[in-house]
Amino acid sequence: MTSQNQILFEKSLALIPGGVNSPVRAFRSVGGTPVFFKKGLGSKLWDVDGKEYVDYINSWGPMILGHAHPAVIDAVQTAAANSLSFGAPTGLELEMAEMINKLMPSMEQVRLNSSGTEATMSAIRTARGFTGRDKIVKFEGCYHGHSDGLLVKAGSGLLTFGEPDSGGVPASVAAHTFTLAYNNTQQLEDLFKKSGDEIACVIIEPVVGNMNLIVPKMEFLQTLRALCTKHGAVLIFDEVMTGFRVALGGAQALYNIKPDMTTLGKVIGGGLPVGAFGGRKEIMQCLAPIGKVYQAGTLSGNPVAVTAGLVTLKLIQAEGFHTRLTNQTKKLIDGLVQAAKEAKVTFSAQNVGGMFGLYFSAQCPTSYAEIMQNNNKTHFKQFFHSMLDSGVYLGPSAFEAGFVSAAHTDADITFTVNAAKKAFSAI
Ligand SMILES: *Cc1c(COP(=O)(O)O)cnc(C)c1O
């Protein structure tokens, strides 16, 4: 009998490119059919055929409280009854700005929009307007959404201008982006020496969650901060994924480094579309209607979405929330590492707060080149499908981070580790 899932996927393929509305949802790198879901509650998901899973994607981060948290759902229902949108200011947006400023004091002024992509795109435009410079710097393997200037890879030589990393991106746009290796302090110093005074901004994931999980070296982040200050370049921490997840105050609090601008998304909307960018007041004052940098959005600061985010941000401020989240994630990591060891499978894993990375390599990688070279993709594929069969939903790629929510119990972790024992023993 053909499953409901298979029927939906085949019909979707006819109408939706690749059958999915975002490529990370496809199973192209692991093979098989993407899972179509119909319900989530706490740490669990149910697919359209009724199979239950423990969820380690959490919608790629936003569901930090778990799915369908009653307080979030209640607040959203109440907000929805007062109309879904006004296209005019509300007190909720002010409350959100106050909350962000309290949790991330480097964000002296904030503007809300509806996605992480919009947040990074707008932050970069603002940094360019502020500095009057065109060049931007990003790091290999970091993802900052799908705007043209960020879908860029390193050019033929290091320190040369970038090349498009996607069809449809003009070479002339990519030419404004430099791409350097993550955690490579020497390359940063060389680039700033050569072109420092042309650089409008550097955008970075302060913990990378988009090439699996890569942890920054302190010296690298500190050098980056110092070079940006010295050359008048705006340092943008893209905390769309790390914000409120690796620590309440994000990676900037965890590593005690103050960026000039920050971009937020994911957790800030609690599962509905919210993004935000902000930073030093003198930079943010460049924005229209007071400044010359244009940025806008019909649904920006949407009352229902902001309500979901506000309730989420209130609940994660509970005493010990991030300590518990970190401890649960660490328990999972320790359990998986131990299971791999018993099965004699080459494997390593680590977490930062409620984000984790699993690697089929002897050591945790520190850059894109390292993870591309060392991570055994065949082993990942086998592991992924065995876990899926057992009812554990992981990201369908060896190059994505995983996420634990506050709803993940010890029983969930034991269940996952037992599934992993079975998966590792088959490798
Ligand atoms: C997810 C993500 C984005 C893009 O956010 P969207 O809401 O998907 O547009 C940008 N930067 C980082 C670091 C992300 O993880």
Side-chain angles (χ1 to χ4, degrees), residues 114-118 120 143-146 205 210 238 240-241 266:
S114 303
S115 70
T117 295
E118 278 184 84
T120 57
Y143 177 69
H144 305 289
H146 60 92
E205 285 184 77
N210 284 291
D238 181 357
V240 169
M241 191 182 278
K266 300 197 166 109

Side-chain angles (χ1 to χ4, degrees), residues 129-161:
F130 174 71
T131 56
R133 303 171 182 176
D134 289 342
K135 300 288 180 250
I136 66 173
V137 180
K138 75 180 284 284
F139 297 92
E140 201 179 16
C142 286
Y143 177 69
H144 305 289
H146 60 92
S147 68
D148 287 355
L150 292 166
L151 293 179
V152 173
K153 61 184 175 190
S156 46
L158 286 171
L159 315 190
T160 61
F161 301 134

Side-chain angles (χ1 to χ4, degrees), residues 185-259:
T185 306
Q186 188 61 50
Q187 274 187 18
L188 257 185
E189 284 171 341
D190 292 349
L191 177 67
F192 269 92
K193 199 164 163 194
K194 183 170 161 251
S195 309
D197 299 339
E198 295 166 49
I199 296 170
C201 63
V202 179
I203 185 163
I204 186 167
E205 285 184 77
V207 174
V208 194
N210 284 291
M211 48 168 159
N212 207 318
L213 179 85
I214 304 282
V215 176
K217 294 179 180 153
M218 268 318 283
E219 179 227 1
F220 172 69
L221 287 184
Q222 283 162 349
T223 305
L224 175 59
R225 175 64 280 182
L227 286 169
C228 285
T229 304
K230 183 172 165 203
H231 292 271
V234 174
L235 176 56
I236 305 172
F237 269 15
D238 181 357
E239 298 230 41
V240 169
M241 191 182 278
T242 54
F244 317 111
R245 177 165 279 283
V246 297
L248 182 57
Q252 52 197 278
L254 191 65
Y255 300 121
N256 192 27
I257 291 186
K258 192 175 169 189

Side-chain angles (χ1 to χ4, degrees), residues 82-97 110-112 289 297-304 306-307 310:
N82 289 328
S83 182
L84 300 178
S85 183
F86 304 109
T90 61
L92 291 166
E93 293 156 76
L94 170 63
E95 212 185 311
M96 180 59 100
V110 189
R111 183 160 279 175
L112 300 181
T298 301
L299 296 178
S300 290
N302 174 269
V304 181
V306 167
T307 296
L310 275 174

